[in-house]
Amino acid sequence: MAYDPRREDYQRLALRYAQSLSKSDPVAAARAFTDFGRRFARDRDTLPQSDADRAFHLVSIAAEVIDYQLPFSNEDKAGALISRGRDLLDEAISLDPQCHDAIRMRAARTNATFDAQFDFLSEGAEEVLASCRAARDSIPDDGDDERVTLGRDIAMRPYRRWMAALAEEALICGRNRRCAEAGERLLERDPSDQADVRFTLALAYAKLEDQASLDALARRYGSIAPPRAADDAWMGIARLALAHKSHDMALARQLLERLIGAYDGCASALISQIELPDGVFARLAVPPYSEDELILAISEATVLLQEGDEKSGRGVLGSWVAQTTAKLYPEALAEAQEVSNPYDQHGGNGPQGGDAA
């Protein structure tokens, strides 16, 4: 996954530090930079940084609290974590009123409904784009192509995260065409897809029953960075859903087996179908083809899995996936029966899909 807040925090200060070193003595500069890692870890306040850098550091801590600690906390600790996350975001905005990540994250915690958050993101998108472009264009060309490229890329990331969140929110609200529009707009501006919006797009095209657009999206995987085949869990579930909707059960079963093969040893996740709270900073950073990635994709694919009435309460596709996986892999069924959803006791707030196009 592209956006790890701690890594980005490190990149921002490393870039700022490199810019502060003397360009006339590269040997001395390289020697000085060897001290950066220690100072970043132990004495970060001694490093050169702007208020925007300090604000993003607070965002990275808030992301850790909200996205990676809160979902696993018990009720006794949850209130304190929520308050800490809110305070960190408020402080970030006070340091940098243009800290769009903090503004977006705070709104996600305060807007009462998914529709309200969608409207907020939609209304603010162009302003965020203009602000990020201005920040990007203000970075001077100092002759170091790698450094300039990184600085300008970092400047645009808040906009990419904003648009990726807009696409995700649209999908949750059942505004599938708006999801596709937002995702395609982001892909046009960033063909390398740093925000991984193609995953959200795959689910939207399955909701729209648009096989041609899904196939076209798969062909665009060749331009992403780092390169990755179009066999991720989001694409796999989207293809499977379209086969199931067209009543091609032989193909659906084949696609299910292919998905299980891509995530070797993780079949129980397709039976459990755990719902996770959405990442507020960005989609949670997990390793490709890991069980965590499959669980994350299944949670986001609730909009597909829970469609239709089915006596199990799971939805037609969700029930078929769970039952077929259990028949194909009995050992996965036994494993799934031992796993409980760690989010249930905390009021987990996973995606709730709508059917409207």
Side-chain angles (χ1 to χ4, degrees), residues 145-283:
D145 292 344
E146 185 175 349
R147 198 156 61 200
V148 171
T149 298
L150 176 60
R152 292 176 179 174
D153 177 73
I154 287 174
M156 292 304 298
R157 290 179 188 177
Y159 170 72
R160 295 180 190 135
R161 286 189 282 265
W162 190 284
M163 290 301 294
L166 174 59
E168 290 168 9
E169 213 68 38
L171 183 69
I172 292 169
C173 295
R175 305 185 192 201
N176 302 306
R177 295 196 187 281
R178 293 294 300 275
C179 173
E181 290 167 4
E184 289 292 351
R185 198 181 320 147
L186 181 53
L187 272 183
E188 287 173 8
R189 288 174 173 149
D190 178 29
S192 65
D193 193 23
Q194 289 191 26
D196 292 333
V197 75
R198 65 192 180 281
F199 299 154
T200 308
L201 268 174
L203 301 180
Y205 286 137
K207 288 285 288 182
L208 292 166
E209 300 184 33
D210 189 345
Q211 182 73 61
S213 292
L214 186 64
D215 292 342
L217 177 65
R219 290 192 293 271
R220 294 166 72 178
Y221 270 56
S223 61
I224 65 171
R228 184 172 179 181
D231 62 351
D232 56 80
W234 290 266
M235 182 63 74
I237 294 171
R239 285 171 166 157
L240 167 62
L242 287 178
H244 189 270
K245 285 182 179 183
S246 65
H247 306 291
D248 189 342
M249 305 315 293
L251 177 59
R253 180 171 172 144
Q254 178 185 344
L255 291 169
L256 177 61
E257 292 189 69
R258 187 181 301 170
L259 175 61
I260 293 170
Y263 291 82
D264 187 41
C266 305
S268 63
L270 289 160
I271 301 173
S272 302
Q273 296 179 19
I274 293 172
E275 288 187 61
L276 308 178
D278 295 330
V280 177
F281 174 74
R283 183 177 278 114

Side-chain angles (χ1 to χ4, degrees), residues 14-33 48 142 144 147:
L15 182 63
R16 183 79 62 186
Y17 190 65
Q19 291 169 336
S20 73
L21 299 175
S22 172
K23 300 179 180 62
S24 61
D25 189 348
V27 175
R31 191 181 303 118
F33 199 82
D142 63 0
D144 188 317
R147 198 156 61 200

